[in-house]
Amino acid sequence: INKHISNGGRTFGNCVLCGNFGLLEVHHELTRSRGGKNGKTVNLCRNCHDWINNHPELASHYGLYIRGYKING
C-alpha cells in the first residue's frame, strides 16, 4: 500500500526508490540550487536521498538526477 500521511508539515509514506515506509523528503530531480525549484519531485527516505546525492551519475542513469542548470529567462 502506497500511502502518504501529512502531520505537522512532515510527510510519511513509502519511498519511491526502496519502498520503505517512513518519514519522507522531497527530492528535486534538478536540484533547487541549479534552478529546479518548480521541477519534477519525488518522495524519498533519507537513505535513498543521500544515495542520490552521493551517486549523481548512477542516479542520472535511473532518471532521478538531472545534470546541468536551468536558465530562467
Side-chain angles (χ1 to χ4, degrees):
I1 298 173
N2 192 355
K3 292 184 178 181
H4 292 106
I5 304 165
S6 292
N7 183 4
R10 295 180 172 206
T11 300
F12 293 86
N14 295 90
C15 172
V16 297
L17 192 56
C18 71
N20 286 337
F21 184 86
L23 181 62
L24 299 175
E25 301 177 353
V26 176
H27 167 69
H28 295 81
E29 289 182 349
L30 177 63
T31 62
R32 292 181 296 165
S33 64
R34 292 182 294 120
K37 185 169 100 175
N38 296 318
K40 186 175 176 188
T41 62
V42 292
N43 292 319
L44 300 169
C45 68
R46 168 59 37 210
N47 288 337
C48 289
H49 203 182
D50 286 344
W51 181 87
I52 288 171
N53 290 329
N54 291 323
H55 301 90
E57 292 211 18
L58 282 172
S60 179
H61 176 74
Y62 292 111
L64 297 168
Y65 183 87
I66 299 173
R67 297 180 154 296
Y69 292 83
K70 179 181 177 184
I71 306 296
N72 295 323

